[in-house]
Amino acid sequence: MNKKLGWFLAGGLLVALLLAGVVSSFASGSPDGLDYAAREGCTFNADDEITGGTCMAQQEGEHQLGDSPLADYGIKGIDNEYVSTGLSGVLGVLVTFGIGGGLFWLLRRRPAGAAASTAAPGASVPGAGTSVPGASAPDAGARTE
């Protein structure tokens, strides 16, 4: 990896960490478009309970991972809502960056010489000694001085 790419990745990671750790605390608590569409057709009381009508939200159930340590955009056990949300965002960025970086590392292109160096001694490497299409060979009749 060259130096410019390393600085670019580090800068992108820093921006993502700042957005997840700081800006996420200012996200709107209002229902998003999907929640709005699921609630359309029902009436709600002050406690946000369905009191009438027909809507998709009536079929809503408890989430299977609702008791997990990172449920509801926070970390279980941290009482400060802003710290909990920020830390869960930072943790999410780090896990995503780690998984993505690991996949890129596993699936990266390796130089052609790497295959030859890992071959068993005395084994022939397919394509070794063949000419590369488009590469020009020295002219047999050319004079060198």
Side-chain angles (χ1 to χ4, degrees), residues 45-144:
N45 63 13
D47 294 328
D48 209 29
E49 297 169 345
I50 298 173
T51 58
T54 306
C55 63
M56 289 187 295
Q58 291 171 324
Q59 307 301 321
E60 182 179 26
E62 290 296 319
H63 194 280
Q64 294 174 350
L65 300 175
D67 293 332
S68 69
L70 296 176
D72 284 334
Y73 302 105
I75 297 178
K76 188 181 283 188
I78 298 178
D79 295 330
N80 186 328
E81 180 182 346
Y82 296 109
V83 173
S84 176
T85 301
L87 286 177
S88 69
V90 166
L91 185 62
V93 166
L94 291 174
V95 167
T96 302
F97 189 80
I99 291 172
L103 286 174
F104 274 107
W105 181 79
L106 285 172
L107 301 173
R108 74 189 184 278
R109 291 186 186 184
R110 292 179 175 84
S117 66
T118 59
S124 66
V125 177
T130 60
S131 64
V132 177
S136 61
D139 189 10
R143 290 186 355 194
T144 57

